[in-house]
Amino acid sequence: MRIKPDYLVVGSGLFGSVVAQNLASQGKQVLVVEKRYHIGGNCFSELDAETGIEYHKYGTHIFHTSNETVWNYIQKFTQFNDYHHQVLTLHKNKIYQLPINLETINSFYNINLKPYEVENFLKKELSKENYINPKNLEEQAISLIGRPLYEAFIKNYTSKQWGKGPTELPASIIRRLPIRYNYSETYFNHARWQGIPLHGFTSLFEKLLSSPNIEVKTNCDYFDLDENLKKLPTIYTGPIDRFFNFKLGHLEWRSIRLEKHVMNYSDFQGTSVINYADNDVTYTRVHEPLHLHPERNYQNKKTTVFYEYSESDQNSPYYPVRDEDNLKILAKYEERAKEQENVIFGGRLGTYAYYDMDLTILKALELVNYIHS
Ligand SMILES: Cc1cc2nc3c(=O)[nH]c(=O)nc-3n(C[C@H](O)[C@H](O)[C@H](O)COP(=O)(O)OP(=O)(O)OC[C@H]3O[C@@H](n4cnc5c(N)ncnc54)[C@H](O)[C@@H]3O)c2cc1C
């Protein structure tokens, strides 16, 4: 080994990489072990050999934040392009804007409301069917947007995503459903900054991990490490239940499968992501990464496209299923985690939480402050 490590970081995803970068900048030697063949965790991007188009291997990632600390930090390692995210959804062979905005409503109901008329219109819709204490996701969504919009845009998409009907899902999954009373098409309405790293996500991770104080070992599973290395102060970003050998139960994850196709068109769908809201189509979304880098001007006769299917593959954890049963199991693991003197659990797998990238960075920076306090 080139370095004499002071710390062991398990996982080279965003959480582990930000922690490693900070520790290294303070003069600590950090060994990062990563069980996949590459760095970057789920943010990893690479060029498609056939089209040269950069794609996100584990699903489209758009960086967005309004947090100044995060923005100031991440800009030290990459510039961002000016990509602005927009999401469209296909229902009954017609395209609509998401989140639901004035165009979605007008187009769906075939009317021409003005912004100041939307509230009353929706009130009338909600008065037809409302639930004061919604018992499940369906009742919750109907109470927020009314049955017709729910049935068109939420019901079947959610069933496909979670593999369960909305009446079997907790109301808490949908706390609010943003509805815009204007024609704004931007997906991250409140983000002050958004974009894709100019040279791709992987190049951002190469920069984060570039310190001579950091040594990265890919294809290296923590559980296969020499016992001496496991005695190092460790930041563990793998699945928390795996750490304890699943002794207290398996935490459930929802997963996705991306099916790659190369299409003989210079542009297949005209935008980076389209949702498929209806049940007759088994995939949930179609991604076309060409559109994530408008500044690159790819000029291909071919384009790379990914069909996304929701699945429950426990070997490929994407979204934690934070229902009552799983949270009970998590609480038990959290108790056990507190007893580990040398190990801190972090990141989405280590805490069984879904965090966007900006929150992941913030949590990693907080952890480094804690380590040094
Ligand atoms: C489909 C999808 C789309 C997303 N889109 C966005 C988006 O548009 N915008 C946004 O802000 N956020 C998005 N996110 C969230 C973003 O992916 C996370 O914020 C971020 O990846 C979390 O980083 P992490 O380091 O916690 O986890 P991960 O990226 O999962 O990294 C954990 C790493 O640990 C490694 N590891 C696990 N176990 C071991 C072991 N035993 N030994 C060694 N290594 C191990 C894993 O291989 C992995 O590389 C999305 C997430 C998903 C699932």
Side-chain angles (χ1 to χ4, degrees):
M1 194 181 310
R2 180 176 54 76
I3 60 164
K4 193 167 172 298
D6 302 300
Y7 285 95
L8 172 65
V9 171
V10 181
S12 66
L14 194 55
F15 192 92
S17 297
V18 171
V19 170
Q21 185 281 323
N22 275 274
L23 292 172
S25 73
Q26 289 154 7
K28 305 293 181 200
Q29 307 249 300
V30 189
L31 174 63
V32 179
V33 293
E34 169 55 60
K35 73 174 186 183
R36 287 172 172 159
Y37 72 89
H38 59 75
I39 57 171
N42 277 10
C43 303
F44 174 70
S45 65
E46 63 186 357
L47 299 187
D48 178 24
E50 208 175 332
T51 62
I53 291 169
E54 183 142 14
Y55 69 96
H56 304 162
K57 191 176 174 70
Y58 302 96
T60 303
H61 277 67
I62 295 100
F63 184 81
H64 58 99
T65 191
S66 295
N67 184 296
E68 211 150 347
T69 307
V70 169
W71 183 237
N72 289 339
Y73 174 77
I74 203 68
Q75 277 185 295
K76 292 184 211 156
F77 306 96
T78 183
Q79 274 182 283
F80 287 87
N81 68 7
D82 54 12
Y83 172 80
H84 262 63
H85 197 40
Q86 175 197 19
V87 174
L88 301 169
T89 189
L90 190 83
H91 168 60
K92 292 199 175 152
N93 215 22
K94 195 169 164 186
I95 285 285
Y96 296 90
Q97 301 278 343
L98 277 187
I100 295 168
N101 67 9
L102 190 49
E103 188 179 327
T104 321
I105 295 171
N106 280 340
S107 175
F108 178 72
Y109 284 100
N110 203 14
I111 50 178
N112 188 19
L113 293 177
K114 298 278 183 289
Y116 51 84
E117 295 168 326
V118 181
E119 196 173 342
N120 269 344
F121 176 83
L122 284 176
K123 259 190 201 151
K124 273 189 215 142
E125 203 55 79
L126 295 186
S127 68
K128 293 179 193 159
E129 189 177 356
N130 206 342
Y131 300 91
I132 291 155
N133 289 313
K135 288 193 296 296
N136 53 50
L137 188 146
E138 175 162 300
E139 292 184 0
Q140 172 82 341
I142 290 171
S143 317
L144 292 167
I145 59 172
R147 185 173 279 278
L149 287 171
Y150 158 73
E151 289 196 337
F153 301 116
I154 311 291
K155 186 177 178 177
N156 296 322
Y157 187 80
T158 309
S159 304
K160 287 197 282 187
Q161 240 188 340
W162 291 95
K164 285 180 186 168
T167 52
E168 297 169 77
L169 290 164
S172 59
I173 293 183
I174 297 188
R175 288 212 181 80
R176 36 178 222 107
L177 275 169
I179 292 200
R180 299 195 185 137
Y181 293 6
N182 58 28
Y183 289 105
S184 166
E185 294 175 357
T186 183
Y187 190 70
F188 303 116
N189 206 18
H190 298 294
R192 276 176 77 185
W193 302 286
Q194 61 177 296
I196 310 291
L198 213 47
H199 303 292
F201 275 102
T202 299
S203 92
L204 160 66
F205 283 85
E206 282 163 1
K207 273 262 176 67
L208 282 167
L209 297 169
S210 64
S211 163
N213 286 342
I214 298 177
E215 183 161 344
V216 181
K217 283 187 188 297
T218 46
N219 291 314
C220 178
D221 194 317
Y222 168 75
F223 298 102
D224 298 333
L225 280 184
D226 188 283
E227 285 307 313
N228 279 329
L229 286 174
K230 286 192 187 159
K231 288 183 188 143
L232 284 166
T234 299
I235 291 87
Y236 173 87
T237 75
I240 187 168
D241 52 356
R242 168 69 184 96
F243 185 89
F244 296 104
N245 216 2
F246 307 108
K247 279 201 180 107
L248 305 168
H250 283 258
L251 289 167
E252 196 186 342
W253 292 86
R254 199 69 193 145
S255 186
I256 63 172
R257 177 170 56 85
L258 292 164
E259 200 180 86
K260 189 181 119 178
H261 295 265
V262 171
M263 305 290 195
N264 288 322
Y265 302 102
S266 56
D267 187 349
F268 176 64
Q269 63 178 16
T271 191
S272 61
V273 182
I274 295 187
N275 290 7
Y276 283 78
D278 299 336
N279 254 349
D280 53 348
V281 177
T282 50
Y283 40 85
T284 46
R285 299 195 277 190
V286 176
H287 304 257
E288 189 176 14
L290 160 79
H291 298 284
L292 297 173
H293 285 284
E295 79 286 359
R296 288 194 188 172
N297 212 1
Y298 282 116
Q299 305 263 355
N300 279 340
K301 293 215 165 59
K302 290 180 176 182
T303 180
T304 314
V305 166
F306 292 87
Y307 286 76
E308 177 181 322
Y309 297 84
S310 284
E311 294 186 338
S312 77
D313 171 3
Q314 298 311 303
N315 294 320
S316 178
Y318 274 75
Y319 302 104
V321 184
R322 290 176 69 93
D323 61 10
E324 225 173 283
D325 291 346
N326 283 294
L327 289 179
K328 274 186 199 153
I329 300 175
L330 176 65
K332 290 187 209 159
Y333 281 123
E334 283 173 340
E335 280 308 307
R336 292 287 301 276
K338 281 186 207 148
E339 294 161 11
Q340 301 293 312
E341 283 180 6
N342 237 8
V343 184
I344 298 177
F345 294 77
R348 60 180 198 102
L349 301 168
T351 57
Y352 191 59
Y354 180 89
Y355 296 134
D356 275 334
M357 286 181 271
D358 58 341
L359 196 53
T360 303
I361 293 172
L362 202 61
K363 297 252 171 210
L365 295 177
E366 281 168 9
L367 174 64
V368 179
N369 285 338
Y370 166 78
I371 291 174
H372 290 287
S373 62

